[in-house]
């Protein structure tokens, strides 16, 4: 107990020594500003916090609350920067610097490269979780809606274009993931979503190409022809169109076998070559077609116990 109390006493003395000689609110603010300008962001954060705790209703309190947002941001603590910006917006909705708080809130999500490896390894942001990118886009959109003449509006608008392109590219990555796993309906929905909601982005061409391939895989050839004509008309140089103007269908897709999965890729194969769907659709209904096909088919041979236990690896 004595050791704990003495430790607390030492900590308190250290804090007093840190702010020794600072008696007025202006002195605290000038110290924090000096630390901020000298890029001592940790020290600036501590001084701003001390200023607000000692002078919560002083004339520098609001300015300290907005400047600590920048200190958190430059210190790499993006979550704290967002929280401080939200707090300033809530406490000072009519402040002349509130547009800066909206801007910094969006910027904190825009530049959130948290993680150890992100500091050393280049990361493709279009393949990351789009949650923060969507938050940043919404924050910048709110800034432009509330303060269209803000000094930060031009930069926010440019960042929104970049974020929108990234969000569209992310949808294409997901569509390709589904396409390689033969989930053609899911891939088609993603491609359609990009075409409908991200007009003007480079990813629209890839979205149309994915629609063409999915329609071909599903046997919907008329829709495939319509989408292909759209692709040729608007994006004649797309990689999915060869020199003769024909659509290039993917010849291999990811199809890991059980042996490949269990051996972590050391054995087995990871590629398949699925055929396209029939060019003609059945004349009768789908259910009747299945009944007719089963009526003339031979029953499948019974599987042996060894085949069942080994998941089909051995007969």
């Amino acid at each position: 107990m004595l050791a704990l109390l003495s430790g607390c006493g030492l900590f308190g003395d250290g804090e007093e020594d840190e702010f020794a000689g600072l008696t007025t609110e202006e002195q605290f603010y000038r110290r924090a500003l000096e630390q901020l300008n000298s890029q001592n962001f940790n020290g600036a954060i501590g001084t701003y916090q001390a200023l607000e705790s000692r002078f919560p209703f002083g004339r520098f309190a609001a300015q300290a609350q907005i400047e600590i947002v920048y200190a958190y941001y430059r210190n790499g603590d993006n979550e704290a920067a967002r929280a401080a910006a939200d707090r300033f917006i809530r406490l000072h909705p009519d402040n002349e610097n509130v547009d800066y708080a909206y801007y910094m809130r969006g910027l904190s999500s825009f530049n959130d490269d948290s993680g150890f490896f992100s500091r050393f390894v280049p990361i493709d942001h279009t393949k990351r979780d789009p949650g923060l990118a969507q938050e940043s886009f919404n924050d910048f959109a709110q800034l432009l809606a509330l303060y269209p003449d803000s000094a930060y509006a031009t930069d926010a608008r440019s960042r929104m274009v970049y974020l929108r392109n990234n969000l569209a590219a992310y949808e294409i990555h997901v569509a390709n993931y589904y396409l390689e796993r033969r989930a053609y309906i899911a891939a088609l929905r993603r491609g359609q979503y990009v075409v409908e909601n991200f007009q003007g982005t480079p990813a629209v061409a890839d979205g149309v190409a994915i629609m063409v391939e999915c329609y071909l895989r599903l046997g919907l050839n008329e829709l495939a022809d319509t989408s292909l004509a759209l692709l040729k008309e608007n994006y004649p140089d797309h990689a999915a169109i060869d020199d003769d103007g024909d659509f290039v269908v993917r010849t291999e897709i990811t199809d890991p076998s059980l042996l490949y999965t269990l051996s972590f890729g050391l054995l087995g194969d990871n590629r398949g070559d699925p055929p396209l769907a029939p060019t003609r659709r059945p004349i009768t209904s789908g259910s009747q077609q299945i009944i007719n096909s089963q009526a003339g088919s031979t029953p499948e041979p019974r599987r042996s116990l060894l085949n069942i236990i080994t998941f089909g690896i051995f007969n």
Side-chain angles (χ1 to χ4, degrees):
M1 194 66 170
L2 290 173
L4 179 61
L5 291 175
S6 62
C8 293
L10 290 174
F11 176 78
D13 293 341
E15 185 178 358
E16 291 297 330
D17 292 339
E18 181 182 356
F19 302 115
L22 303 181
T23 57
T24 66
E25 181 185 10
E26 185 175 357
Q27 289 175 338
F28 273 91
Y29 178 74
R30 289 187 180 278
R31 167 73 67 84
L33 198 59
E34 290 174 1
Q35 293 171 325
L36 194 66
N37 292 333
S38 62
Q39 298 189 0
N40 180 12
F41 302 116
N42 272 324
I45 291 170
T47 307
Y48 280 130
Q49 291 173 340
L51 185 154
E52 187 178 358
S53 64
R54 287 167 171 78
F55 308 97
F57 304 106
R59 61 193 181 98
F60 291 100
Q63 188 64 24
Q65 290 171 4
I66 191 64
E67 289 183 8
I68 200 174
V69 176
Y70 177 76
Y72 278 128
Y73 171 75
R74 290 298 306 275
N75 200 41
D77 195 346
N78 293 299
E79 291 186 6
R82 280 187 62 87
D86 285 332
R87 182 169 178 263
F88 184 85
I89 294 170
R90 185 175 64 256
L91 296 177
H92 309 282
D94 298 325
N95 190 280
E96 60 181 358
N97 295 319
V98 71
D99 60 332
Y100 179 75
Y102 280 105
Y103 173 75
M104 288 302 298
R105 189 172 68 174
L107 195 62
S108 298
S109 298
F110 181 88
N111 290 330
D112 191 356
D113 294 327
S114 56
F116 176 78
F117 292 103
S118 62
R119 303 179 184 178
F120 309 101
V121 181
I123 296 177
D124 185 357
H125 292 276
T126 63
K127 296 182 179 180
R128 297 185 61 184
D129 180 15
L132 287 175
Q134 189 65 58
E135 283 184 9
S136 179
F137 185 90
N138 294 338
D139 290 334
F140 288 137
Q142 190 173 12
L143 168 65
L144 294 178
L146 296 176
Y147 306 97
D149 299 327
S150 170
Y152 313 102
T154 301
D155 185 74
R157 192 174 290 107
S158 300
R159 292 179 187 274
M160 287 178 66
V161 173
Y162 171 82
L163 289 169
R164 190 167 181 266
N165 290 342
N166 280 5
L167 290 171
Y170 172 81
E171 296 294 331
I172 295 299
H173 288 308
V174 176
N176 286 325
Y177 174 87
Y178 286 134
L179 191 59
E180 291 181 351
R181 283 151 183 80
R182 308 189 190 189
Y184 302 128
I185 298 295
L188 176 62
R189 293 288 180 262
R190 293 283 181 161
Q192 290 174 335
Y193 181 78
V194 171
V195 173
E196 294 171 359
N197 296 278
F198 294 97
Q199 281 295 322
T201 64
V204 171
D206 297 326
V208 178
I210 288 173
M211 290 174 58
V212 174
E213 179 148 358
C214 290
Y215 284 137
L216 289 173
R217 296 290 183 187
L218 295 170
L220 304 175
N221 299 293
E222 292 183 0
L223 293 175
D225 292 339
T226 302
S227 299
L228 181 57
L230 179 65
L231 184 65
K232 290 180 179 180
E233 178 69 22
N234 295 279
Y235 310 99
D237 298 328
H238 193 269
I241 301 176
D242 61 15
D243 296 335
D244 297 329
D246 297 325
F247 186 77
V248 180
V249 181
R250 307 183 194 204
T251 57
E252 292 184 341
I253 64 173
T254 302
D255 186 23
S257 62
L258 178 62
L259 182 60
Y260 181 91
T261 303
L262 295 177
S263 63
F264 299 100
L266 298 177
L267 302 174
D269 191 13
N270 190 36
R271 289 294 176 180
D273 187 8
L276 296 178
T279 55
R280 294 180 178 273
R281 305 302 294 165
I283 300 177
T284 57
S285 65
S287 58
Q288 186 63 42
Q289 184 73 11
I290 295 174
I291 295 173
N292 295 340
S293 62
Q294 290 179 345
S297 62
T298 58
E300 295 184 358
R302 296 184 58 184
R303 299 173 59 188
S304 65
L305 179 61
L306 179 62
N307 182 271
I308 296 174
I309 294 176
T310 60
F311 301 100
I313 298 177
F314 299 104
N315 294 325

